[in-house]
Amino acid sequence: MSFRNKVKSHAAVVLTSERLQSARRTVREIRRRLSGTPHVVQYFHDVSDPYCHLSVQLLGQLRDKYDVRIEPHLMSRPTSDILPAPEQYRHNVLLDSVRWAKRLGLNAPGNISPEGPVFDLAERRLAAELNGADFVKAASQISQMLWSAKDIPDWPQADPIQARADGDRALQAAGQYLGGTVSYGGECYWGPDRLAYLETRLETLGLGQANPFIVPEISEPTLDAAGQELEFFFSFRSPYSYLALDRVRDLTARSNAKLILRPVLPMLMRGLPVPSAKSSYILKDCAREARRLGIPFGRISDPLGAGVERGYALLDHAEAQGRLAEYCSSFMTAVWSKGMDASTDAGLAYIVTAAGLDWNAARGEIESSHWRDRVEANQARLQQIGLWGVPSFHLAGQSVWGQDRLWVLADLLRGKA
């Protein structure tokens, strides 16, 4: 490993450490006390986002349980660099929001297009409520009318342009990029999945005692799903894919389903943008998810470029030896938790050997380009099922996105989704 990569790897250990997180929280709390400011939870609302329809309902519960002040913001719709496949994203988010609503007992969004004058009216109404007595209640009511295609009263209204501009700046300052986000004390929590982290933090501060939102996990046991095929789309450069792989392997092994591994190129290697704010949030989010799941994470050697290409060049060899899953697991464990540089022979030899393969037999395949046809076919299949990023899954005719949606896969295997 080069000196530069060693420095980056050690820096990643520090940046993703629980100790640094705790220190930052302590400093933030000291500053808050010295300034005499209340506990403020910022909330960012995008009227076109189904996740916001769920988040604003949960926000009312959060406010009722904890001694916090909600500071609401409107925000603009995400730009193309944030959502490179907006139509696929919106379709998936709507489907996912309906699943979540069913799971949480919330009002689900209807299947309507997030366009047109009704959304403009909803935004103007919410702009008028930003400084009102109870934005959360008003936003929940307006969102319910909007997503159930009911008429929205047209009074009062306000021009949302300045409100969106202010909200966009606040969101950027918080280090996030999507609606449905709440921010507290320097940390962001996007979507229903992450509210448990915020609630635990608020309880630790003595701001309330209530059972935090429980993150859904795979129920035990799953039914025998022999004959079912679960396609798993991932990339060696995706930390979320790393968090998902061994858990998916365990799920399919316990349910007798067949796991089909479909590696694709990382987004940057496909020419898709990944803004710095997105990369930063993903790294921090993966760190806290890894701690919750008990998965080693943080000593990172980014395999972007040569590391990914060399790793993919050995896919066919690993599969021929009946060790494809083991090899993929070994590769991602090495680069995301052991700091192994896959762009070097030493790093790749470690990965191959840890997967139970013979390095001398494998090394002759490193210069092969046959893997490109395999990966291109997988990328075409990913687009065919209506998804664009990883980790993604296809099971029982349904597409699922995200390492935190394995409970959906378990439900599908049981025939309950």
Side-chain angles (χ1 to χ4, degrees), residues 19-248:
R19 179 178 297 180
L20 179 60
Q21 179 192 66
S22 179
R24 284 174 168 169
R25 288 179 175 182
T26 299
V27 170
R28 289 270 185 175
E29 179 59 14
I30 291 172
R31 288 177 177 173
R32 187 202 63 78
R33 290 180 179 178
L34 290 175
S35 66
T37 56
H39 296 275
V40 176
V41 173
Q42 292 183 297
Y43 169 65
F44 299 90
H45 192 83
D46 172 2
V47 296
S48 70
D49 190 340
Y51 281 144
C52 290
H53 178 61
L54 303 185
S55 293
V56 78
Q57 295 177 63
L58 293 171
L59 202 61
Q61 299 177 23
L62 185 81
R63 180 199 54 194
D64 294 341
K65 289 193 289 185
Y66 301 99
D67 183 19
V68 296
R69 190 183 81 194
I70 306 297
E71 182 180 287
H73 300 275
L74 291 183
M75 57 167 287
S76 302
R77 300 186 185 191
T79 54
S80 59
D81 60 332
I82 296 297
L83 299 182
E87 293 305 316
Q88 293 92 326
Y89 175 83
R90 288 170 183 153
H91 173 79
N92 178 78
V93 166
L94 184 59
L95 176 62
D96 191 51
S97 295
V98 172
R99 289 171 177 150
W100 262 115
K102 180 180 178 180
R103 187 87 178 201
L104 301 178
L106 301 176
N107 294 320
N111 186 15
I112 60 176
S113 174
E115 304 290 345
V118 64
F119 279 83
D120 295 336
L121 173 58
E123 193 171 54
R124 292 195 301 272
R125 286 283 289 107
L126 287 174
E129 298 286 352
L130 280 174
N131 298 315
D134 195 343
F135 173 86
V136 173
K137 181 179 179 180
S140 184
Q141 292 173 342
I142 293 170
S143 186
Q144 177 60 24
M145 288 184 282
L146 174 67
W147 287 99
S148 59
K150 295 181 179 178
D151 291 337
I152 299 174
D154 60 4
W155 186 89
Q157 297 182 34
D159 189 345
I161 294 177
Q162 186 59 51
R164 285 200 306 266
D166 292 342
D168 292 345
R169 282 192 293 269
L171 184 65
Q172 184 178 21
Q176 241 290 345
Y177 48 94
L178 287 172
T181 292
V182 294
S183 176
Y184 175 79
E187 294 176 28
C188 290
Y189 310 89
W190 175 54
D193 317 57
R194 303 301 188 259
L195 284 181
Y197 292 117
L198 174 59
E199 291 203 50
T200 300
R201 188 176 175 188
L202 296 178
E203 287 194 71
T204 300
L205 290 170
L207 299 178
Q209 291 184 342
N211 293 327
F213 169 74
I214 303 300
V215 179
E217 280 297 341
I218 302 171
S219 302
E220 297 274 1
T222 56
L223 296 177
D224 188 346
Q228 295 243 45
E229 293 185 346
L230 196 165
E231 298 175 76
F232 175 34
F233 299 83
F234 64 95
S235 94
F236 280 173
R237 208 230 172 192
S238 162
Y240 286 129
S241 294
Y242 163 58
L243 297 183
L245 176 57
D246 284 344
R247 294 155 63 215
V248 173

Side-chain angles (χ1 to χ4, degrees), residues 111-408:
N111 186 15
I112 60 176
S113 174
E115 304 290 345
V118 64
F119 279 83
D120 295 336
L121 173 58
E123 193 171 54
R124 292 195 301 272
R125 286 283 289 107
L126 287 174
E129 298 286 352
L130 280 174
N131 298 315
D134 195 343
F135 173 86
V136 173
K137 181 179 179 180
S140 184
Q141 292 173 342
I142 293 170
S143 186
Q144 177 60 24
M145 288 184 282
L146 174 67
W147 287 99
S148 59
K150 295 181 179 178
D151 291 337
I152 299 174
D154 60 4
W155 186 89
Q157 297 182 34
D159 189 345
I161 294 177
Q162 186 59 51
R164 285 200 306 266
D166 292 342
D168 292 345
R169 282 192 293 269
L171 184 65
Q172 184 178 21
Q176 241 290 345
Y177 48 94
L178 287 172
T181 292
V182 294
S183 176
Y184 175 79
E187 294 176 28
C188 290
Y189 310 89
W190 175 54
D193 317 57
R194 303 301 188 259
L195 284 181
Y197 292 117
L198 174 59
E199 291 203 50
T200 300
R201 188 176 175 188
L202 296 178
E203 287 194 71
T204 300
L205 290 170
L207 299 178
Q209 291 184 342
N211 293 327
F213 169 74
I214 303 300
V215 179
E217 280 297 341
I218 302 171
S219 302
E220 297 274 1
T222 56
L223 296 177
D224 188 346
Q228 295 243 45
E229 293 185 346
L230 196 165
E231 298 175 76
F232 175 34
F233 299 83
F234 64 95
S235 94
F236 280 173
R237 208 230 172 192
S238 162
Y240 286 129
S241 294
Y242 163 58
L243 297 183
L245 176 57
D246 284 344
R247 294 155 63 215
V248 173
R249 290 175 63 196
D250 179 67
L251 173 62
T252 51
R254 286 190 289 109
S255 60
N256 294 318
K258 180 180 180 181
L259 177 61
I260 301 175
L261 297 174
R262 296 196 182 279
V264 300
L265 280 177
M267 292 180 69
L268 279 175
M269 295 175 70
R270 283 186 272 155
L272 298 175
V274 182
S276 58
K278 188 174 183 178
S279 297
S280 178
Y281 177 77
I282 287 174
L283 186 64
K284 294 174 185 176
D285 186 55
C286 280
R288 64 189 175 193
E289 281 286 273
R291 284 193 289 269
R292 179 179 67 84
L293 295 165
I295 299 174
F297 181 83
R299 193 177 174 193
I300 300 166
S301 180
D302 189 348
L304 182 67
V308 170
E309 291 180 347
R310 287 161 57 87
Y312 282 1
L314 300 185
L315 291 170
D316 288 347
H317 175 77
E319 187 170 47
Q321 305 304 311
R323 306 289 294 177
L324 179 60
E326 291 79 3
Y327 170 67
C328 292
S329 177
S330 177
F331 188 102
M332 287 194 279
T333 299
V335 301
W336 292 109
S337 72
K338 297 180 182 296
M340 291 293 171
D341 188 349
S343 68
T344 67
D345 281 355
L348 199 54
Y350 173 91
I351 291 167
V352 167
T353 303
L357 296 167
D358 185 340
W359 169 242
N360 289 324
R363 66 190 306 171
E365 302 295 326
I366 293 176
E367 300 302 323
S368 171
S369 62
H370 295 305
W371 62 270
R372 295 187 183 277
D373 292 337
R374 177 187 194 135
V375 168
E376 287 177 6
N378 290 339
Q379 288 167 192
R381 173 61 177 161
L382 184 63
Q383 292 180 338
Q384 182 185 37
I385 65 171
L387 294 175
W388 68 101
V390 296
S392 292
F393 312 90
H394 193 69
L395 173 66
Q398 294 198 41
S399 299
V400 180
W401 176 46
Q403 65 85 23
D404 40 24
R405 294 300 186 270
L406 301 196
W407 58 271
V408 177

